[in-house]
């Protein structure tokens, strides 16, 4: 066997490999000999079929299998001997001339093929004991608990009918009957009776609620609105519609009394118990925000201390996924790059930087995990599946069956578990200082485009 490296540019390598016909033929004969005791052919006793006859009957199919196995083993040896860690699947280029292919399968011609690969560069890991990160924490105050309960009360506040002759105002609940048409024709889903709508809630398509301000009980108005271009029903998206709308009831919101009785309407025995439950929920919410901030800071430190050129193919794949998602989101929202105060070229440059960061951090996290034998157990994945199932009451079996029969979905569950375990490993070595902050500072929004 001869191996010649024909390309070595950065992380890209190509090889031309030549395997003698005699070597391949010997492997084919060996496989055929192993078939003697298994094959049953008319006219031959079990185990007595000559290899030459087997070769006539099965030669080409066995040769094809042998070639596939030989190429796989040869490539693996080339990569292992050179210490290569492949970034993606090797690209093998085989002969295309039919006569040459027949000669190789018949054992009369040497096999010559090429293989192109891109490798992961060696990664020198930083000393994580030198990392200094700040952990932002916020205490849940009594006022924040009260505010959260008030928001719930506002969402569940009662309404009472307004007096005779009253007109609907923003915040009022109007009960409607309407019939919708497009070009004079009624359409499916365009009519309704006894439909409650809180003006200002933006529950209906844009522009609908605005035209009902000042309507009175028994009054009918023709509301003219266009369906959004990204409307879920494709046959309605972007079309102009008219709704003959009548108000049958107008109610004004009332202040909700926050007491034990209110708590009981939420399934809690008392206001004190409701406050306890709300404090616990907010505490978990704050802890989640603390974790995300800390993780972001740690990833930023990993980014700063691990600068190298990642495999171009991986960056391209990551960028393509992001770019397709961005285009889909913008199309759905009916936005352009100009709306985002940028151009397509500028956006591509920015998102390619993000793709580069994501790939580098993914490789660094993987290297840390490999070097420190950090793994994700089947039990951890099972717990994650169970948690997903709990989030979909009544569909637990459907969720479980989906993950059981979909390895790709399981891998998507495994990845964040692995990432979190690596992050925890680094945090155990790093110097972590704690800083008390307000809720506002903890939840202050930051540019999340670079999130890994």
């Amino acid at each position: 066997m001869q191996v010649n490296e024909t390309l070595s540019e950065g992380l890209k390598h190509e090889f031309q490999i030549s395997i003698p016909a005699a070597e391949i033929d010997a492997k084919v004969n060996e496989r055929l000999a192993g078939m003697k005791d298994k094959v049953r052919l008319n006219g031959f006793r079990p185990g007595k079929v000559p290899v030459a006859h087997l070769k006539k009957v099965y030669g080409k199919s066995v040769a094809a299998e042998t070639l596939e196995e030989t190429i796989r083993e040869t490539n693996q040896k080339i990569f292992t001997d050179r210490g290569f860690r492949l970034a993606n699947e090797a690209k093998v280029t085989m002969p295309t001339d039919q006569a040459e292919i027949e000669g190789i399968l018949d054992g009369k011609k040497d096999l010559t093929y090429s293989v192109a690969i891109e490798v992961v560069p060696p990664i020198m890991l930083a000393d994580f004991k030198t990392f200094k990160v700040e952990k932002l924490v916020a205490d849940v105050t009594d006022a924040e608990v009260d505010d959260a309960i008030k928001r719930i009360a506002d969402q569940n506040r009662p309404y009472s009918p307004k007096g005779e002759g009253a007109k609907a105002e923003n915040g009022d609940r109007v009960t409607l009957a309407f019939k919708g048409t497009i070009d004079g024709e009624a359409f499916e889903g365009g009519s309704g009776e006894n439909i409650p709508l809180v003006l200002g809630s933006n529950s209906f398509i844009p522009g609908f609620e605005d035209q009902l301000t000042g309507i009175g009980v028994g009054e009918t108005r023709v509301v003219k609105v266009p369906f959004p271009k990204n409307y879920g029903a494709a046959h309605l998206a972007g079309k102009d519609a008219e709704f003959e709308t009548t108000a049958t009831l107008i109610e004004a919101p009332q202040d909700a009394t926050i007491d034990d009785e209110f708590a009981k309407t939420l399934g809690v025995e008392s206001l004190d118990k409701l406050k306890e439950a709300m404090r616990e929920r907010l505490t978990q919410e704050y802890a989640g925000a603390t974790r995300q901030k800390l993780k972001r800071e740690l990833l930023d430190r990993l980014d700063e201390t691990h600068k190298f050129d990642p495999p171009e193919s991986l960056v391209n794949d990551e960028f393509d996924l992001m770019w397709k998602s961005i285009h889909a989101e913008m199309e759905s929202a009916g936005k352009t790059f100009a709306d985002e105060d940028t151009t397509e070229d500028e956006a591509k440059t920015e998102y390619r930087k993000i793709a580069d960061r994501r790939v580098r951090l993914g490789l660094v996290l993987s290297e840390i995990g490999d070097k420190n034998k950090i793994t994700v157990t089947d039990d951890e994945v099972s717990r994650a599946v169970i948690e997903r199932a709990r989030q979909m009451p009544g569909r637990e079996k459907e969720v479980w069956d989906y993950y059981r029969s979909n390895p790709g979905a399981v891998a998507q569950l495994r990845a964040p578990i692995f990432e979190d375990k690596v992050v925890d490993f680094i945090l155990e070595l790093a110097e972590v200082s704690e800083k008390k902050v307000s809720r506002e500072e903890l939840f202050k929004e930051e540019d999340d485009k670079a999130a890994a």
Side-chain angles (χ1 to χ4, degrees):
M1 178 180 70
Q2 291 184 342
V3 178
N4 294 317
E5 187 166 14
T6 57
L7 175 70
S8 179
E9 294 181 358
L11 302 178
K12 295 180 180 180
H13 300 267
E14 291 183 13
F15 300 89
Q16 186 176 67
I17 300 99
S18 181
I19 303 174
E23 183 179 329
I24 297 172
D25 195 49
K27 290 184 177 182
V28 170
N29 289 335
E30 185 180 346
R31 289 174 72 102
L32 289 170
M35 295 171 57
K36 288 178 61 176
D37 296 332
K38 302 174 184 177
V39 173
R40 297 291 183 267
L41 291 177
N42 292 334
F44 295 95
R45 287 182 296 164
K48 299 298 182 180
V49 184
V51 171
H53 187 73
L54 286 175
K55 198 166 189 176
K56 288 181 181 180
V57 178
Y58 300 107
K60 287 192 175 180
S61 63
V62 171
E65 294 173 1
T66 302
L67 287 175
E68 183 179 350
E69 181 180 286
T70 300
I71 291 170
R72 184 171 60 251
E73 292 175 349
T74 301
N75 291 348
Q76 186 58 51
K77 186 176 187 307
I78 292 171
F79 307 151
T80 302
D81 288 349
R82 289 162 175 77
F84 287 159
R85 178 182 168 194
L86 269 60
N88 45 33
E89 189 174 346
K91 181 182 179 181
V92 175
T93 302
M94 297 288 289
T96 57
D97 181 76
Q98 192 59 39
E100 184 178 357
I101 295 172
E102 291 293 332
I104 295 169
L105 292 174
D106 290 338
K108 297 176 181 178
K109 284 185 173 292
D110 296 347
L111 167 64
T112 299
Y113 71 95
S114 64
V115 58
I117 59 172
E118 189 171 22
V119 301
V120 174
I123 299 174
M124 298 295 295
L125 295 177
D127 181 0
F128 304 127
K129 292 181 180 179
T130 65
F131 280 19
K132 295 181 180 181
V133 291
E134 194 171 59
K135 181 180 180 180
L136 305 183
V137 294
D139 293 327
V140 178
T141 66
D142 292 342
E144 288 164 351
V145 172
D146 291 340
D147 286 344
I149 293 175
K150 186 177 185 306
R151 286 194 294 272
I152 295 176
D154 288 343
Q155 294 168 2
N156 293 274
R157 58 187 174 183
Y159 287 81
S160 63
K162 298 183 78 169
E164 185 177 350
K167 303 297 183 180
E169 302 175 76
N170 197 48
D172 288 347
R173 185 167 68 186
V174 183
T175 302
L176 306 171
F178 56 83
K179 295 179 181 179
T181 59
I182 294 178
D183 296 330
E185 297 290 332
F187 57 91
E188 184 178 354
S191 300
E193 297 283 345
N194 297 318
I195 306 298
L197 171 64
V198 177
L199 298 189
S201 65
N202 297 318
S203 304
F204 281 23
I205 58 179
F208 191 100
E209 296 171 27
D210 297 340
Q211 298 179 52
L212 295 179
T213 301
I215 197 172
V217 174
E219 182 182 345
T220 298
R221 292 184 179 181
V222 175
V223 177
K224 299 180 180 181
V225 287
F227 278 96
K229 292 181 179 179
N230 62 330
Y231 194 68
H235 66 290
L236 299 177
K239 294 187 176 179
D240 293 328
E242 293 186 358
F243 293 87
E244 186 179 286
T245 307
T246 301
T248 58
L249 178 63
I250 299 174
E251 300 170 290
Q254 306 297 307
D255 290 333
T257 302
I258 300 176
D259 55 14
D260 288 343
E261 291 304 314
F262 170 73
K264 289 176 183 178
T265 65
L266 301 177
V268 185
E269 62 185 67
S270 67
L271 180 57
D272 286 341
K273 291 293 184 183
L274 177 59
K275 289 184 177 181
E276 288 178 15
M278 182 56 65
R279 185 179 295 277
E280 182 177 344
R281 194 183 85 179
L282 291 176
T283 298
Q284 292 175 352
E285 182 182 327
Y286 287 16
T290 292
R291 170 73 179 187
Q292 285 302 108
K293 290 267 188 179
L294 182 60
K295 183 177 177 179
R296 168 66 66 76
E297 185 177 354
L298 185 63
L299 291 177
D300 287 344
R301 291 286 291 118
L302 289 175
D303 179 32
E304 295 166 2
T305 53
H306 297 87
K307 296 295 186 183
F308 56 88
D309 291 329
E312 184 181 7
S313 59
L314 296 184
V315 176
N316 288 340
D317 289 345
E318 182 67 24
F319 173 80
D320 288 343
L321 286 174
M322 294 170 61
W323 197 245
K324 288 178 183 176
S325 176
I326 291 160
H327 263 287
E329 289 177 8
M330 293 183 71
E331 186 175 336
S332 175
K335 291 185 176 181
T336 65
F337 289 104
D339 294 328
E340 301 293 329
D341 196 25
T342 186
T343 66
E344 184 170 355
D345 287 342
E346 289 174 345
K348 281 185 175 181
T349 299
E350 181 65 24
Y351 280 101
R352 185 162 288 280
K353 291 179 183 177
I354 297 169
D356 180 281
R357 170 188 160 104
R358 287 186 176 181
V359 170
R360 277 191 298 105
L361 287 178
L363 293 174
V364 170
L365 292 171
S366 177
E367 184 76 7
I368 296 169
D370 289 344
K371 289 284 179 64
N372 297 281
K373 297 180 172 57
I374 299 171
T375 59
V376 177
T377 66
D378 290 341
D379 284 346
E380 288 170 327
V381 174
S382 294
R383 286 197 292 272
V385 173
I386 291 171
E387 182 59 32
R388 290 293 180 90
R390 284 176 178 167
Q391 294 171 7
M392 302 182 71
R395 300 177 61 187
E396 290 85 355
K397 185 177 184 303
E398 180 183 339
V399 173
W400 188 262
D401 288 344
Y402 170 73
Y403 282 106
R404 185 175 58 183
S405 59
N406 194 330
V410 173
Q412 290 180 346
L413 282 182
R414 187 181 295 270
I417 299 173
F418 174 79
E419 182 177 292
D420 279 340
K421 293 183 76 169
V422 173
V423 167
D424 287 337
F425 169 80
I426 300 172
L427 288 174
E428 288 180 4
L429 300 174
E431 181 181 330
V432 182
S433 59
E434 192 171 290
K435 179 183 177 182
K436 291 281 187 179
V437 296
S438 66
R439 180 190 185 283
E440 288 71 26
E441 187 174 353
L442 179 62
F443 285 91
K444 180 182 178 182
E445 292 187 4
E446 298 179 47
D447 182 5
D448 62 356
K449 285 187 177 180

